[in-house]
């Protein structure tokens, strides 16, 4: 990303110079990194998002210009939302609740845009969906994320087993999480109605900016390269398992999901969406119970990075084998991360996310 200030010189001496701050996004010049990150698909999706979905939405960044010229000449020119006083928060994990609730309210409004467009402009909505490119999850047996996720998802079980936890539970979860890509991730990529909507796909604090207005924290999202059509739990569980890992318990989940649901249903009612019982709290809660392990699977390989335990850049990872990446990520952060993941899994069990397994 390039951060640029454009200063417009007026021919009228009485007119002040105008400065526009922009962000220019271009693919990496490294072919290996572009391939690993599936940059062509990511840029395609983000351009599609800005051109077809995000127009005239004040709560999303302005896209001034975009041109798709893969593999290395694609460009997206965006508003620098720092000029609107939005900033990244200083926390990466164990985020204060007011920031989490601001992010959760905003993702509810984002999902509501998708539901509303699906309701009122169905053909246009599904034309967008059908033109999305897969950026992470596919049936390819050589998919790098498949190997990484399957290797890292069981580190929590190894931790529990070594500390004398129930053997039958560990055996069942070891078998299930050992193929978490097939058992958890791929089923979620098959949208189920009526809850499927346009999801951010990478709902993390790296992509969430905040500002405080009149004492209230407001959030705004960036980076829509991984948008997908699927259940809202993809976004919700990713954020909660990465950024609230040590606070995630039944009471916290219930409270956050209630705030999400109230915000969602309120906006849908404002937008004239009918039959709101489809989006009841009980329906959303049950969907989270069935699918909430997707956030845990992501946290198994990414939480240590979020918590600053890695010294390796994406460029470094692109230079080593998939097996070496998987081994490195499984060990990253040692027992500290393994314990957090183990406790998270047990708390998700209390919420009911493991009922279909154990």
């Amino acid at each position: 990303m390039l951060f640029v200030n454009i200063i417009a010189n007026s021919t009228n001496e009485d007119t002040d110079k105008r400065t526009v701050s922009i962000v220019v996004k271009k693919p990496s010049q490294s072919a290996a990194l572009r391939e690993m990150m599936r940059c062509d698909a990511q840029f395609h999706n983000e351009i599609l998002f800005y051109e077809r979905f995000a127009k005239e939405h004040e709560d999303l960044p302005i896209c001034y210009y975009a041109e798709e010229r893969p593999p290395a000449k694609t460009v997206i020119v965006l508003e620098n939302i720092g000029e609107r006083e939005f900033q990244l928060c200083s926390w990466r994990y164990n985020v204060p609740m007011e920031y989490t609730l601001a992010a959760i309210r905003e993702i509810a409004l984002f999902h509501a845009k998708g539901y509303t467009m699906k309701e009122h402009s169905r053909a246009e909505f599904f034309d967008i969906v059908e033109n999305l490119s897969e950026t992470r999850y596919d049936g390819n047996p050589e998919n790098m994320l498949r190997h990484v996720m399957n290797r890292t998802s069981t580190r929590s079980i190894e931790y529990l087993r070594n500390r004398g936890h129930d053997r039958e539970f560990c055996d069942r979860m070891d078998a299930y999480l050992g193929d978490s890509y097939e058992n958890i991730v791929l089923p979620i990529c098959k949208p189920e109605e009526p809850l499927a909507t346009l999801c951010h796909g990478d709902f993390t604090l790296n992509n969430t900016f905040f500002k405080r207005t009149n004492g209230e924290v407001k959030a705004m999202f960036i980076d829509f390269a991984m948008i997908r059509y699927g259940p809202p739990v993809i976004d919700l569980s990713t954020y909660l398992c990465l950024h609230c890992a040590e606070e995630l318990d039944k009471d916290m989940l219930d409270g956050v999901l209630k705030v999400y649901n109230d915000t969602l249903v309120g906006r849908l009612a404002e937008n004239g969406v009918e039959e709101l019982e489809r989006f009841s709290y009980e329906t959303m809660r049950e969907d989270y119970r069935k699918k909430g392990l997707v956030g845990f699977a992501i946290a198994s390989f990414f939480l240590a990075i979020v918590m600053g335990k890695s010294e390796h850049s994406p460029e470094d990872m692109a230079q080593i084998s998939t097996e070496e990446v998987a081994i490195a990520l499984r060990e990253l952060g040692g027992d500290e991360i393994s314990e957090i993941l183990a406790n998270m899994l047990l708390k998700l069990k209390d919420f009911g996310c493991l009922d279909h397994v154990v």
Side-chain angles (χ1 to χ4, degrees):
M1 290 191 296
L2 305 175
F3 294 84
V4 182
N5 288 330
I6 300 175
I7 301 174
N9 291 312
S10 172
T11 55
N12 185 344
E13 294 181 359
D14 296 329
T15 303
D16 292 336
K17 293 180 179 179
R18 182 182 177 219
T19 301
V20 178
S21 295
I22 61 172
V23 178
V24 181
K25 297 181 68 172
K26 301 179 69 177
S28 169
Q29 296 304 300
S30 164
L33 187 60
R34 287 200 305 271
E35 181 178 358
M36 183 181 79
M37 301 298 292
R38 299 190 177 185
C39 279
D40 289 354
Q42 288 198 31
F43 273 88
H44 168 81
N45 287 349
E46 187 150 29
I47 291 173
L48 180 68
F49 172 82
Y50 279 115
E51 290 183 343
R52 302 284 302 279
F53 187 78
K55 286 185 177 181
E56 300 178 2
H57 286 298
E58 292 184 358
D59 51 354
L60 293 169
I62 298 169
C63 179
Y64 295 118
Y65 176 80
E67 184 176 7
E68 192 170 355
R69 294 176 60 193
K73 293 186 177 181
T74 297
V75 63
I76 303 175
V77 181
L78 299 167
E79 168 193 16
N80 183 344
I81 61 173
E83 296 300 299
R84 286 201 246 172
E85 300 182 353
F86 282 94
Q87 298 178 338
L88 289 171
C89 75
S90 56
W91 291 271
R92 298 290 85 195
Y93 57 95
N94 294 341
V95 182
M97 184 54 67
E98 66 172 340
Y99 284 88
T100 287
L101 293 182
I104 292 299
R105 290 189 186 98
E106 196 60 32
I107 202 66
L109 297 176
F110 182 84
H111 292 161
K113 290 182 195 297
Y115 288 129
T116 300
M117 187 177 185
K118 184 169 70 168
E119 189 89 353
H120 297 320
S121 304
R122 191 172 182 84
E124 183 181 358
F125 177 81
F126 280 105
D127 189 56
I128 293 173
V129 169
E130 289 167 7
N131 279 282
L132 291 174
S133 295
E134 181 56 64
T135 57
R136 277 185 174 174
Y137 310 125
D138 57 39
N140 184 352
E142 299 305 317
N143 184 301
M144 178 180 180
L145 199 54
R146 175 190 292 268
H147 295 285
V148 168
M149 195 174 283
N150 288 348
R151 176 63 73 96
T152 58
S153 289
T154 57
R155 69 181 290 182
S156 58
I157 304 304
E158 180 181 22
Y159 181 89
L160 290 171
R161 194 187 296 277
N162 290 341
R163 282 151 184 80
H165 199 79
D166 178 75
R167 180 176 177 179
E168 183 179 357
F169 172 83
C170 289
D171 288 345
R172 288 191 181 187
M173 292 307 304
D174 213 18
Y176 187 76
L177 294 177
D179 199 2
S180 58
Y181 191 84
E182 194 75 31
N183 292 331
I184 298 171
V185 172
L186 291 187
I188 288 180
C189 294
K190 299 173 182 176
E192 295 181 2
E193 302 300 345
L195 294 188
T197 187
L198 197 65
C199 298
H200 185 284
D202 196 18
F203 178 31
T204 68
L205 282 179
N206 284 341
N207 297 325
T208 308
F209 283 60
F210 300 89
K211 75 172 180 180
R212 188 179 293 276
T213 304
N214 298 324
E216 182 179 359
V217 178
K218 167 75 173 173
M220 181 181 285
F221 303 132
I222 64 167
D223 198 351
F224 302 93
M226 296 184 183
I227 56 170
R228 65 172 53 251
Y229 184 54
V233 70
I234 290 175
D235 287 338
L236 293 168
S237 64
T238 297
Y239 179 97
L240 292 173
C241 289
L242 287 177
H243 303 301
C244 308
E246 295 183 85
E247 302 169 358
L248 193 65
D249 60 21
K250 183 178 181 297
D251 291 340
M252 186 266 202
L253 264 172
D254 273 325
V256 168
L257 291 178
K258 187 69 167 61
V259 169
Y260 170 85
N261 191 249
D262 287 347
T263 306
L264 175 76
V265 172
R267 179 55 57 89
L268 292 178
E270 291 173 6
N271 292 345
V273 176
E274 299 178 346
E275 300 178 15
L276 293 179
E277 62 274 9
R278 293 175 290 170
F279 309 102
S280 70
Y281 171 72
E282 291 73 19
T283 300
M284 291 288 183
R285 188 179 189 276
E286 183 60 24
D287 199 56
Y288 198 101
R289 283 161 54 94
K290 291 178 179 178
K291 302 169 183 174
L293 280 179
V294 66
F296 174 81
I298 292 169
S300 292
F301 71 87
F302 199 56
L303 178 62
I305 296 174
V306 167
M307 294 181 67
K309 305 299 182 181
S310 176
E311 298 178 355
H312 301 292
S313 68
E315 288 81 1
D316 295 334
M317 293 292 190
Q319 302 303 318
I320 62 178
S321 71
T322 297
E323 184 66 16
E324 290 171 316
V325 170
I327 292 172
L329 290 176
R330 181 183 173 93
E331 298 173 354
L332 201 60
D335 279 352
E336 177 187 359
I337 299 298
S338 295
E339 182 179 11
I340 293 172
L341 290 169
N343 288 335
M344 186 196 307
L345 184 65
L346 295 179
K347 291 172 182 177
L348 290 172
K349 178 178 181 290
D350 289 342
F351 189 72
C353 291
L354 309 188
D355 287 356
H356 61 292
V357 185
V358 298

